[in-house]
Amino acid sequence: MEKNDLVIRIAGHGGEGVISTGDFIASACARAGQEVYTFKTFPAEIKGGYAMYQVRTSPDRIYNPGDSFDILCAFNQEAYDLNRHLLVPGTVLVYDQTGDDFVPEIPPGVVAYPVPMSKMAKELKSYRSKNMVALGALSVLFRINEETLIAVLSDKFKKKGEEVLAFNLLAFHRGKALVADCPKKDPWFVPEAGAPKDVILISGNAGVGLGALLGKLEFFSAYPITPATEIAKYVATHLPKVGGVLIQAEDEIASLSQVLGASYAGKRAMTATSGPGLSLMSEMLGMAAMSETPVVVVDVQRGGPATGMPTKHEQSDLFLAVHGSHGDAPRIVLSVEDVSDCIHRTVDALNLADRYQCPVILLSDGSLAFSTQTVPTPKPEEIEIVERKRWDGEGEYQRYQWSEDGISPMADPGTPKAMHMATGLEHGPTGAPNYAPANHDRMQRKRFGKLETVADFIEPVEWDGEGPADVGIITWGSTIGVVREAVARLRREGIQVKGFYPKLMVPMPVEHYEAFASDCKKILVPEVNFQGQLSYMIRAETTITPIPFTQCGGVPFTPLQIMNKVKENLGWDVSLPQKK
Ligand code: COA
């Protein structure tokens, strides 16, 4: 299959400017009209440790970082050692030619370009600019748009002072000169850009922040935690401009408590955290469920349990999001596939919380948090805002009055004739505590029953293909993008496969799962966690017998892994449980 995309991986030590180098390439390609999808990993340490940035660019839509790289730019021996197994025939290695401590063995079929990056930076007496020497060389070797590259690195370094900018521009041009006469020994170039598109290049975390503002967020409270902090940084920058308020709370319990208070006072309110923070929030999630107070909690998942792997990817908070809290505490759980979803599902989350007066948890993940993608520029005029139902002032006000749809009108504190209590104690229609058995049963039916229409209000799932299939793949979160490509490539090989991508995790749209699986011989469920958490839910709630396909190495699946797993299943060489 003719590739119409290019994948460049930059790898080195944290502190060598690996991330910036990748960011510059991604920004330059986006400005030149390319689609871009990036992925990065870096160590928990502030300096040192292995840092990696991967940029995939194409004129066509891109759904994931790719199977592997076409070009590896290794800043040091460790970066080479950690990626050596991926240097297969047809790939290219650009490496720092230091002459002594880093002399990589070049595998057969691999094209190598030694570039004296460190030596040139030393000559310039600016070791920091080693990465710009590398960037200059890469721009010549693979025809990365120089004009836009210079524009983006100037934008960034100008802020650090004219001298820093001058040094880096000089280093960039010296890097170009180092390979100017180097014979081109490989077939790789950045593909020609397509027609200019109305897009923005934005990270998943910034996407959540942008979605919150588009969703008319008014209050945000959070406690910093990797990999969610950039959401708060984005909101802190932009929310005050529209009259909103952001507080950095003393911990996650306080942050959700403050969000509850702001929502009780009539504001659209949200917090963002990661797994450890969501664990701490479980009691207040129950409070939001019991008092029927609209709150949004964004959980950017990371490697768990406990402190786990703060900067690494995982999808292992589904159980916590669905069940976290004592008692039967209803909530809505959404998940996001890509950066565009980060924007638009955050709007959905704020709308659903207000409409259904309950906690809404939005599950993002580590790979999305730091991934930047080109997404169509959102149009605020196309964003629908759904406000909470408010009392019309007629008759006696009861905060939890019985209603057909189970949703009772709210009244902001201070509304005349509408004084009421919103309590965590079980209560009757007025909000007054009530422990009668029949009342508790009826209130639970109210709190759970009102969520039965959620799937009518938003697109709960997406099907990728119709009709009978040998293998149906059900997956969620950012793994969806990997499966989309795998499904397309398998179909091109003539394999009967289709995909099912839930965005509404709970209340679980069971009938959609059953309909999808009804004409699949097997159902494969890839997800990046150890227990196969969505597979558990499918077994618990549907008649489907899924084949779990899990990994938990802190990195996403690749399309090739999914394709190989499907083929392994089609080989019928394993006695796999058949669907009932
Ligand atoms: N000249 C001048 N400055 C340069 C430069 C150059 N040629 N190249 C990069 N820099 C700057 C960058 O602008 C950045 O500064 P900024 O943050 O003010 O923008 C800084 O040097 C780091 O460079 P960058 O390319 O962004 O990262 P890196 O590849 O060097 O890796 C990290 C460093 C990202 C690993 C490290 O900064 C970090 O964030 N570590 C913490 C990881 C973490 O979150 N741990 C979790 C704890 S729970």
Side-chain angles (χ1 to χ4, degrees):
M1 183 203 61
E2 188 53 35
K3 250 169 74 75
N4 194 24
D5 66 292
L6 183 68
V7 181
I8 302 175
R9 177 176 291 188
I10 324 272
H13 273 311
E16 283 192 299
V18 164
I19 308 296
S20 301
T21 309
D23 268 339
F24 291 143
I25 294 174
S27 304
C29 289
R31 286 196 192 188
Q34 297 281 15
E35 295 279 340
V36 167
Y37 194 117
T38 76
F39 172 71
K40 62 185 171 187
T41 69
F42 46 82
E45 299 79 8
I46 298 299
K47 195 162 169 61
Y50 174 67
M52 183 276 279
Y53 193 110
Q54 182 158 305
V55 192
R56 186 177 185 185
T57 184
S58 169
D60 307 324
R61 178 86 192 271
I62 305 170
Y63 295 103
N64 60 75
D67 288 329
S68 180
F69 52 74
D70 303 304
I71 295 146
L72 170 66
C73 180
F75 280 15
N76 57 39
Q77 181 74 47
E78 180 194 39
Y80 167 80
D81 294 343
L82 290 173
N83 291 286
R84 163 73 184 75
H85 64 292
L86 297 171
L87 282 169
V88 297
T91 56
V92 177
L93 169 66
V94 179
Y95 66 94
D96 185 8
Q97 186 185 32
T98 58
D100 41 21
D101 59 350
F102 175 24
V103 184
E105 171 223 337
I106 310 305
V110 172
V111 169
Y113 296 104
V115 178
M117 310 166 191
S118 303
K119 272 161 74 175
M120 177 54 75
K122 275 187 199 128
E123 254 181 56
L124 294 171
K125 295 185 180 51
S126 159
Y127 189 71
R128 284 302 278 130
S129 61
K130 165 182 172 182
N131 61 340
M132 293 302 103
V133 175
L135 188 62
L138 292 170
S139 71
V140 170
L141 289 170
F142 306 106
R143 214 182 287 158
I144 304 171
N145 188 302
E146 177 180 338
E147 187 191 338
T148 48
L149 263 183
I150 289 177
V152 294
L153 71 86
S154 300
D155 287 349
K156 172 127 185 181
F157 291 136
K158 210 167 4 193
K159 295 173 197 149
K160 295 176 181 284
E162 287 307 319
E163 191 183 6
V164 172
L165 174 57
F167 259 129
N168 282 296
L169 284 173
L170 177 59
F172 176 79
H173 290 299
R174 288 292 177 87
K176 285 171 50 193
L178 287 174
V179 296
D181 304 327
C182 182
K184 178 75 175 167
K185 301 176 283 186
D186 68 272
W188 299 116
F189 291 108
V190 170
E192 283 306 312
K197 304 179 186 75
D198 180 12
V199 295
I200 52 173
L201 179 63
I202 188 170
S203 72
N205 279 352
V208 168
L210 176 57
L213 289 163
L214 290 168
K216 300 285 182 246
L217 179 73
E218 295 169 287
F219 179 84
F220 184 94
S221 175
Y223 183 75
I225 183 169
T226 297
T229 307
E230 281 71 17
I231 296 174
K233 280 168 70 174
Y234 183 97
V235 172
T237 305
H238 300 289
L239 186 60
K241 297 173 190 168
V242 293
V245 171
L246 173 134
I247 294 178
Q248 177 171 322
E250 61 270 30
D251 58 38
E252 288 86 350
I253 300 170
S255 58
L256 184 51
S257 304
Q258 289 167 2
V259 165
L260 261 153
S263 178
Y264 173 70
K267 301 298 179 186
R268 285 164 82 93
M270 172 174 132
T271 183
T273 188
S274 186
L278 188 62
S279 290
L280 291 173
M281 292 179 183
S282 58
E283 183 179 4
M284 291 314 281
L285 283 172
M287 174 62 175
M290 174 62 99
S291 62
E292 303 192 52
T293 306
V295 295
V296 171
V297 179
V298 179
D299 173 23
V300 187
Q301 301 168 91
R302 74 190 210 180
T307 308
M309 304 196 294
T311 61
K312 303 301 180 194
H313 169 63
E314 211 163 71
Q315 296 176 277
S316 52
D317 294 350
L318 183 57
F319 280 169
L320 176 62
V322 171
H323 303 298
S325 189
H326 58 276
D328 298 304
R331 76 282 308 273
I332 295 170
V333 178
L334 304 176
S335 65
V336 291
E337 162 189 0
D338 57 16
V339 172
S340 181
D341 255 4
C342 286
I343 299 171
H344 298 287
R345 298 294 80 77
T346 300
V347 177
D348 286 344
L350 287 161
N351 283 341
L352 287 167
D354 252 17
R355 179 188 179 92
Y356 290 97
Q357 300 176 17
C358 70
V360 177
I361 298 172
L362 181 71
L363 291 174
S364 179
D365 59 46
S367 80
L368 270 182
F370 300 118
S371 168
T372 52
Q373 297 163 27
T374 41
V375 296
T377 305
K379 306 267 183 293
E381 65 277 10
E382 292 171 4
I383 302 284
E384 185 198 4
I385 299 300
V386 174
E387 300 281 354
R388 61 185 66 178
K389 191 191 287 184
R390 281 189 165 85
W391 184 48
D392 58 11
E394 295 300 317
E396 182 208 351
Y397 180 65
Q398 292 192 345
R399 169 65 187 93
Y400 302 107
Q401 77 181 52
W402 306 122
S403 66
E404 187 64 30
D405 61 6
I407 300 170
S408 314
M410 297 184 80
D412 295 351
T415 305
K417 298 189 297 175
M419 189 163 79
H420 66 275
M421 189 158 55
T423 169
L425 284 171
E426 184 54 287
H427 45 268
T430 65
N434 181 328
Y435 310 126
N439 175 71
H440 183 46
D441 179 75
R442 193 171 184 201
M443 289 306 284
Q444 282 293 62
R445 291 178 192 286
K446 174 187 189 301
R447 291 186 286 260
F448 278 92
K450 70 184 176 180
L451 302 186
E452 283 167 8
T453 61
V454 173
D456 306 331
F457 183 70
I458 60 162
E459 274 308 309
V461 302
E462 183 189 337
W463 289 39
D464 184 358
E466 304 275 347
D470 292 329
V471 178
I473 307 177
I474 298 178
T475 191
W476 62 288
S478 60
T479 306
I480 291 173
V482 177
V483 169
R484 277 188 198 279
E485 179 171 333
V487 165
R489 287 163 58 179
L490 286 165
R491 278 203 202 111
R492 281 201 285 273
E493 295 182 27
I495 290 174
Q496 296 300 311
V497 63
K498 62 183 180 181
F500 179 88
Y501 312 134
K503 306 293 177 84
L504 173 63
M505 307 310 288
V506 150
M508 195 170 183
V510 169
E511 63 287 355
H512 290 267
Y513 283 80
E514 299 282 11
F516 174 79
S518 62
D519 54 5
C520 296
K521 291 181 185 145
K522 296 184 180 176
I523 292 290
L524 187 67
V525 183
E527 51 188 317
V528 182
N529 57 59
F530 185 76
Q531 298 179 93
Q533 298 187 13
L534 180 60
S535 287
Y536 261 70
M537 289 175 58
I538 292 170
R539 274 197 297 275
E541 303 286 344
T542 76
T543 61
I544 299 166
T545 304
I547 303 166
F549 179 29
T550 62
Q551 74 172 16
C552 63
V555 291
F557 277 108
T558 64
L560 207 51
Q561 283 178 282
I562 305 296
M563 294 170 72
N564 291 341
K565 191 67 179 177
V566 167
K567 289 175 180 172
E568 176 193 310
N569 276 280
L570 290 179
W572 283 278
D573 56 359
V574 284
S575 53
L576 291 163
Q578 297 301 311
K579 193 177 77 61
K580 282 182 197 136

